[in-house]
Amino acid sequence: MTEEPEPPTLDYNEQIEREDYEDFEYVRRQKKPKKPLSRKTPERPPLEVEEKPSPKPPMEPPTLPPERDYDEELPLAPLPDYDDMEYGLPQPKKFPSKKEGEGEMETDEERLKPGKPKKGGSSKEEEEVDTEDDKWAEEKTKERKGKPKKPGGKKWETDEDEWTPPEEKTTCPPIGMESHRIEDDQILASSMLRHGLGAQRGRLNMQAGSNEDDFFDGAWCAEDDTRAHWIEVDTRRTTKFTGVITQGRDSQIHDDFVTAFYVGFSNDSQNWVMYSNGYEEMLFHGNVDKDTPVLTEFPEPVVARFIRVYPQIWNGSLCMRLEVLGCPLSTVSSYYSQQNEVTSTDNLDFRHHSYKDMRQLMKVVNEECPSITRIYNIGKSSRGLKIYAMEISDKPGEHEQGEPEFRYTAGLHGNEVLGRELLLLLMQFLCKEYQDGNPRVRSLVTETRIHLVPSLNPDGYEIASQAGSELGNWALGHWNEEGYDIFENFPDLASVLWAAEERKWVPHRVPNHHIPIPEHYLAEDAHVAVEVRAILAWMEKTPFVLGANFHGGEKLVSYPYDMARPPPEGEGAVARTLDDYEDENLEAQETPDHAIFRWLAISYASAHLSMTETFRGGCHTQDMTNGMGIVSGAKWHPRVGSLNDFSYLHTNCLELSVYLGCDKFPHAGELQQEWENNKESLLTFMEQVHRGIKGVVTDQQGDPIANATIAVGGINHNMKTASGGDYWRILNPGEYRVVARAEGYNPSVKTCNVLYDIGATQCNFVLSRSNWKRIREIMAMNGNRPIRRIPPGRPLTPRERMRMRQRMRQRMRLRQQMRQRMLNAATTPGAPPTTAPPTSLPFAFSSTTFTPWSQPPPTATTWETETYTELETVTETETELETEARAWEVGTGTLQPLTTAETYTVNFGD
């Protein structure tokens, strides 16, 4: 028993993997065990009730009279339709007899251990039941006692096929309170404490705003503490209600929740019928705390249009949140709501997948399309579960030059599961459509290397899936096993960039792209999740160009920056709200690629079927997108160290966050609709990776240059080439001036045009080698001191003139020594050396005075031994002489003849 809650080991993980890879018929197996389970459930309640009175005989007399009176009236009421009443009615007949109770236990043991004789005991019990006057109770008792027998089992199966309502109530999904399919005007209440606690705030998992006293609080609250208050939901269609889910108020201050309530139904909102057990209104039990949802199932489903909840007992103030479970029996009355109800025609696996089912499905897709798919893992979770990924490409397993890398990731928060299922559906869809010859899908697969990671936090999903889609609260499974929020556990590089910009260090000392990760973050004892380390290694290995990560709890697309830039230090003392600061400093919150990020975000939101609905509003607070479905993360929900900011500042990948819906863990019955809502958006966003420019950077010999910088005019954020010299730069339509730079090469400039059609513009660059490497070495020998340039038109000061004379004398002495060595090497050993006449500055001289330049070039041996001194002397002398000549020209009015850098080219030999 103690081994089950422990995290699975690596051996257990491999064992499950072997089992998955051996059997591919998991779809057929997972649907069969439902029928025998429903057959056992009706028999358990009588056994539990019969066990209780045996140790407590004094409690028997008070319960007998009302049950016997109620039993006599049963034939008059239509109660045979109620499942619980059918099994509970025969209990008073057997309640006084302890022997009969023992017979029940023996019958249960005989049922569990077939082979022991049990016919005699059951026949005696049937004879005792025959002595009763109630024939209806006798028939029910025979059916129940005859269950272990073969004929009895047949009757049971026949009766079970007729009881369709109990089977349907377990599969009825939520009507849409949490997912906002139920609109605000469909929710009414008898009163409200204030506007921020109105009926529209009574949705399950509704989250309060940052200020609980504003218009966005975390529940519906009545204006006083009387029992006459109610909250009502209009489904606008005939619905079979099977239960409700209740929850307390989301608040950091208050502890309000309802512990008991009544339920009423109506078809016209005027005449209400309370749910009863046959003789009185049934009181349902609610919550014991404010956060945990509690499911209350009705013994019998009720068909109606309106449903009301009447709180009777509560803790604190009368506040609650709820969700209603029901199956629609007719079409919706609203025309506009009916337009978005789409039935998918794709033959896909629409259900929630456990960790084992997820790997099984990925294996099935890989077996169906082995030529375009590959399964690999990017690392392991805290509990040792592998983080699986699927690659879809025409050549899986290798990076093709000129083919961009794209990624979709989901499951960063374990309880946000819709993205996980959408990626599993996308795998199936791409495989099937590629085999069917869909030209759009074939173009994506052949021209793009697609990576799909359905679950980056498998540990959190296992925790959330245990509670189920309706009973998991807002935070269950949100973090990983170690308690880290994976999405916000990445290095904070935005603060490094902004601090460098304030000091004017960008781009000379701190680059505006590929900012290195701080050393303290990479330490072994750093507070970094295991999953984050795996993601970092994966991002460093693969040159991603575009990506998106899926979340839940809201319906919008968020783009960088996710971190809000702090105000300057001088303005820190000024008291202002965050909204005022954002309105005045919109540009400070934007990335250099702000326009491109908005284009990418709109490409997904506009193709979604319901993300840009202007009448919907936000899931929990006001609509920050202004009806467009896109928003900057810093404006909506500021956070530090997000995946999007890190991906933008450390890699070439432009990353966005897609929030798929208000319900983090939707019911399995809603997956088909959600797939249709997002299918076109998933394909459209992938196609945006082919927008902008692309190319290859090579040298003059045709060899690719890795880590070359690609700079676009007007955008203060550069990109780097991959190991094969290829690059991709997503840009909006327009004309751009693009510069390619690399260490040891001269930069190259081109003008590239980006069109509106899908398809990147080809812009290749060929770089020639430069002398900057040698120049840097010479400057390093001089202490990296900059050479001061004297602007023309300004006379020299005495101090400057003295320093200039000293430098020129030193340069001339070095030059004479160089000329002497070259003459000695060029002439015969017996020839007398030529000495240069001494000079003093300033004086008029000519370039013909320096005889070494008229001598023949040295031999190869001489060049190798004397090149260093010549380069150093000539370069520095020419620069200083040019500067001094300009100064003399200003001072004396006569132009001094001089060989300058414009008329003389120095060959540095590299």
Side-chain angles (χ1 to χ4, degrees):
M1 298 299 293
T2 59
E3 297 180 357
E4 295 181 0
E6 292 181 358
T9 60
L10 297 179
D11 297 337
Y12 172 75
N13 189 15
E14 297 295 339
Q15 180 180 358
I16 295 179
E17 184 173 342
R18 287 195 300 270
E19 295 175 358
D20 295 345
Y21 283 63
E22 292 173 359
D23 186 9
F24 302 126
E25 297 183 355
Y26 66 99
V27 178
R28 301 178 182 177
R29 289 183 291 140
Q30 56 93 19
K31 296 182 179 180
K32 290 183 178 180
K34 292 184 178 180
K35 206 166 188 179
L37 291 177
S38 61
R39 200 166 56 216
K40 295 179 181 179
T41 50
E43 191 177 11
R44 291 180 181 175
L47 295 178
E48 296 177 359
V49 176
E50 292 168 3
E51 290 178 0
K52 294 180 180 179
S54 57
K56 297 180 180 181
M59 297 301 294
E60 298 175 2
T63 57
L64 289 176
E67 293 184 356
R68 289 179 178 176
D69 296 340
Y70 176 62
D71 193 13
E72 294 175 359
E73 297 177 358
L74 284 175
L76 301 178
L79 290 176
D81 295 336
Y82 292 87
D83 299 340
D84 295 348
M85 298 303 177
E86 290 176 358
Y87 308 129
L89 289 175
Q91 297 174 8
K93 307 288 183 180
K94 298 182 255 183
F95 196 84
S97 175
K98 295 183 180 179
K99 295 182 179 180
E100 293 177 358
E102 295 175 357
E104 286 290 329
M105 297 302 296
E106 292 175 359
T107 305
D108 186 62
E109 293 177 358
E110 292 172 358
R111 180 178 61 84
L112 297 175
K113 299 179 181 180
K116 293 184 179 181
K118 56 183 178 180
K119 296 183 179 180
S122 59
S123 61
K124 291 181 181 179
E125 292 174 359
E126 292 177 359
E127 292 176 359
E128 293 178 359
V129 175
D130 291 339
T131 58
E132 302 294 338
D133 297 334
D134 194 349
K135 297 181 180 180
W136 181 82
E138 177 183 356
E139 294 176 357
K140 293 299 179 181
T141 306
K142 287 181 180 179
E143 292 178 1
R144 184 157 49 89
K145 298 304 177 183
K147 180 182 177 182
K149 300 179 181 180
K150 294 183 178 179
K154 294 181 180 179
K155 293 182 180 179
W156 183 274
E157 293 178 358
T158 304
D159 294 340
E160 184 185 7
D161 295 338
E162 297 177 358
W163 296 341
T164 54
E167 295 180 0
E168 292 181 359
K169 72 179 182 181
T170 58
T171 59
C172 282
I175 64 175
M177 291 282 288
E178 182 180 4
S179 62
H180 282 243
R181 290 200 313 273
I182 297 296
E183 302 174 5
D184 289 346
D185 57 356
Q186 295 180 245
I187 310 173
L188 300 176
S190 57
S191 64
M192 61 181 178
L193 185 60
R194 53 183 174 83
H195 185 75
L197 296 169
Q200 72 279 1
R201 306 297 299 176
R203 303 175 183 270
L204 187 70
N205 288 322
M206 176 64 70
Q207 300 298 298
S210 57
N211 183 10
E212 295 186 9
D213 295 332
D214 59 7
F215 294 137
F216 308 100
D217 215 320
W220 162 72
C221 295
E223 63 180 353
D224 53 37
D225 293 339
T226 61
R227 298 184 178 181
H229 294 289
W230 46 263
I231 181 171
E232 171 189 327
V233 181
D234 177 14
T235 61
R236 293 178 178 173
R237 68 174 81 188
T238 304
T239 306
K240 181 187 294 185
F241 297 103
T242 59
V244 295
I245 303 175
T246 58
Q247 195 178 26
R249 178 180 179 181
D250 176 55
S251 173
Q252 301 292 336
I253 305 173
H254 307 281
D255 190 19
D256 305 332
F257 54 90
V258 175
T259 59
F261 56 91
Y262 292 129
V263 180
F265 304 92
S266 175
N267 288 324
D268 55 4
S269 73
Q270 299 297 326
N271 302 316
W272 293 87
V273 177
M274 305 299 294
Y275 196 97
S276 64
N277 55 12
Y279 61 94
E280 65 178 0
E281 297 176 353
M282 182 174 289
L283 184 66
F284 297 96
H285 297 284
N287 302 90
V288 295
D289 59 63
K290 63 181 181 180
D291 295 324
T292 305
V294 174
L295 172 63
T296 302
E297 293 183 324
F298 303 145
E300 275 294 314
V302 178
V303 178
R305 173 178 171 176
F306 300 86
I307 183 173
R308 275 186 184 179
V309 175
Y310 299 84
Q312 298 298 307
I313 306 174
W314 54 85
N315 180 78
S317 301
L318 201 170
C319 301
M320 70 180 306
R321 295 174 287 174
L322 79 156
E323 176 65 270
V324 181
L325 305 181
C327 300
L329 301 181
S330 63
T331 57
V332 69
S333 302
S334 175
Y335 170 79
Y336 297 99
S337 299
Q338 191 175 2
Q339 300 304 307
N340 288 332
E341 294 187 356
V342 181
T343 302
S344 177
T345 58
D346 301 324
N347 185 18
L348 306 178
D349 187 12
F350 295 102
R351 65 184 181 93
H352 287 293
H353 296 77
S354 64
Y355 180 77
K356 180 178 179 180
D357 294 339
M358 177 190 70
R359 295 181 307 153
Q360 189 83 9
L361 178 61
M362 296 174 68
K363 182 62 179 178
V364 170
V365 175
N366 178 249
E367 292 293 333
E368 293 180 358
C369 301
S371 61
I372 63 171
T373 60
R374 180 178 71 96
I375 300 176
Y376 66 99
N377 70 85
I378 66 175
K380 295 183 179 180
S381 65
S382 302
R383 297 175 58 184
L385 300 179
K386 294 181 180 179
I387 304 176
Y388 286 99
M390 173 168 283
E391 176 190 346
I392 302 178
S393 176
D394 58 340
K395 295 182 180 180
E398 61 176 302
H399 171 73
E400 301 179 56
Q401 188 181 57
E403 185 173 290
E405 306 267 355
F406 178 89
R407 71 169 181 246
Y408 270 140
T409 57
L412 286 155
H413 302 146
N415 59 340
E416 300 169 0
V417 303
L418 181 55
R420 171 194 182 104
E421 301 304 328
L422 287 180
L423 292 188
L424 294 177
L425 293 171
L426 182 61
M427 296 176 189
Q428 306 172 58
F429 178 79
L430 293 178
C431 176
K432 294 179 182 296
E433 293 299 316
Y434 184 86
Q435 291 179 338
D436 294 342
N438 188 329
R440 184 182 185 186
V441 174
R442 279 187 169 270
S443 176
L444 272 175
V445 172
T446 55
E447 298 177 3
T448 315
R449 192 182 182 198
I450 305 170
H451 301 261
L452 306 178
V453 185
S455 181
L456 285 173
N457 184 9
D459 299 344
Y461 176 81
E462 294 300 319
I463 297 175
S465 61
Q466 293 177 1
S469 61
E470 288 82 24
L471 301 181
N473 58 24
W474 190 254
L476 184 63
H478 183 88
W479 299 274
N480 72 336
E481 185 73 12
E482 299 174 336
Y484 293 108
D485 188 332
I486 298 179
F487 183 73
E488 302 179 16
N489 194 229
F490 288 84
D492 177 19
L493 302 182
S495 299
V496 177
L497 176 63
W498 294 337
E501 289 179 350
E502 293 179 0
R503 294 172 174 83
K504 308 298 182 182
W505 289 354
V506 178
H508 305 289
R509 299 180 61 179
V510 177
N512 60 10
H513 63 99
H514 289 79
I515 302 175
I517 301 176
E519 296 181 359
H520 66 84
Y521 187 88
L522 299 176
E524 295 182 358
D525 57 346
H527 297 283
V528 182
V530 178
E531 295 84 353
V532 173
R533 296 184 185 272
I535 297 172
L536 292 178
W538 182 48
M539 295 171 64
E540 293 286 349
K541 182 180 178 181
T542 309
F544 290 108
V545 181
L546 180 62
N549 49 82
F550 294 108
H551 300 267
E554 191 58 74
K555 187 179 289 187
L556 51 84
V557 179
S558 173
Y559 54 87
Y561 287 120
D562 286 333
M563 180 180 177
R565 187 167 187 171
E569 298 179 357
E571 301 179 3
V574 180
R576 63 178 67 187
T577 62
L578 181 61
D579 295 337
D580 296 339
Y581 172 73
E582 290 178 352
D583 294 339
E584 298 176 6
N585 299 271
L586 293 178
E587 296 182 357
Q589 308 295 328
E590 299 174 354
T591 64
D593 291 287
H594 179 73
I596 301 172
F597 274 120
R598 286 182 59 87
W599 177 290
L600 296 173
I602 290 177
S603 68
Y604 192 99
S606 61
H608 196 277
L609 295 185
S610 61
M611 190 171 288
T612 56
E613 293 177 348
T614 56
F615 62 86
R616 176 180 54 84
C619 291
H620 305 281
T621 58
Q622 61 180 346
D623 185 13
M624 301 296 295
T625 68
N626 296 325
M628 298 184 62
I630 65 172
V631 67
S632 172
K635 180 180 179 181
W636 169 57
H637 183 48
R639 61 189 76 187
V640 180
S642 70
L643 171 60
N644 296 346
D645 290 353
F646 173 79
S647 179
Y648 178 66
L649 297 177
H650 185 71
T651 68
N652 292 334
C653 183
L654 305 183
E655 185 93 1
L656 291 84
S657 294
V658 180
Y659 291 80
L660 298 169
C662 303
D663 191 354
K664 288 185 174 183
F665 203 140
H667 191 270
E670 303 177 19
L671 295 180
Q672 188 174 0
Q673 176 66 37
E674 294 296 341
W675 165 250
E676 291 298 326
N677 291 342
N678 293 272
K679 180 173 66 174
E680 180 62 27
S681 299
L682 293 170
L683 299 177
T684 302
F685 188 78
M686 282 193 293
E687 292 173 342
Q688 303 307 309
V689 75
H690 298 284
R691 184 177 297 280
I693 60 175
K694 67 177 182 180
V696 181
V697 180
T698 60
D699 58 10
Q700 293 178 337
Q701 287 73 33
D703 298 330
I705 301 176
N707 294 325
T709 303
I710 304 299
V712 179
I715 302 178
N716 190 23
H717 184 80
N718 303 335
M719 299 292 180
K720 283 189 175 182
T721 58
S723 59
D726 46 351
Y727 77 93
W728 306 264
R729 187 62 165 95
I730 300 179
L731 296 171
N732 287 341
E735 183 177 285
Y736 298 91
R737 183 177 180 268
V738 186
V739 182
R741 297 186 179 92
E743 184 73 18
Y745 295 88
N746 292 319
S748 177
V749 183
K750 277 189 176 183
T751 300
C752 304
N753 295 319
V754 179
L755 305 178
Y756 282 89
D757 298 334
I758 294 295
T761 302
Q762 192 79 19
C763 288
N764 299 326
F765 294 90
V766 178
L767 304 184
S768 61
R769 290 188 175 274
S770 67
N771 300 323
W772 282 106
K773 182 178 180 180
R774 180 60 181 156
I775 293 174
R776 288 192 181 93
E777 293 178 358
I778 297 174
M779 293 179 64
M781 294 182 60
N782 197 28
N784 289 327
R785 292 189 301 267
I787 301 175
R788 185 175 181 181
R789 178 178 181 274
I790 301 176
R794 183 178 70 84
L796 297 176
T797 62
R799 187 181 182 90
E800 293 175 347
R801 190 178 298 276
M802 181 183 64
R803 291 181 176 178
M804 182 192 65
R805 289 176 179 177
Q806 294 176 356
R807 288 195 302 269
M808 292 301 299
R809 290 192 183 99
Q810 177 67 19
R811 299 294 188 273
M812 294 305 300
R813 284 194 297 267
L814 294 175
R815 192 166 185 177
Q816 291 174 7
Q817 295 176 4
M818 178 195 67
R819 184 168 57 251
Q820 185 66 33
R821 287 194 297 268
M822 295 181 64
L823 290 175
N824 294 337
T827 58
T828 60
T834 305
T835 58
T839 57
S840 60
L841 296 176
F843 70 99
F845 64 94
S846 174
S847 59
T848 59
T849 306
F850 305 99
T851 56
W853 305 116
S854 60
Q855 297 296 332
T859 61
T861 306
T862 308
W863 174 262
E864 294 177 357
T865 58
E866 301 295 338
T867 299
Y868 181 83
T869 306
E870 178 185 1
L871 292 176
E872 178 182 1
T873 305
V874 172
T875 303
E876 296 183 357
T877 303
E878 295 298 330
T879 306
E880 293 293 334
L881 291 177
E882 181 183 1
T883 304
E884 188 174 8
R886 291 179 181 177
W888 289 343
E889 179 182 357
V890 175
T892 62
T894 60
L895 177 62
Q896 307 296 334
L898 179 67
T899 301
T900 61
E902 286 77 5
T903 61
Y904 178 75
T905 302
V906 180
N907 184 9
F908 289 90
D910 58 345

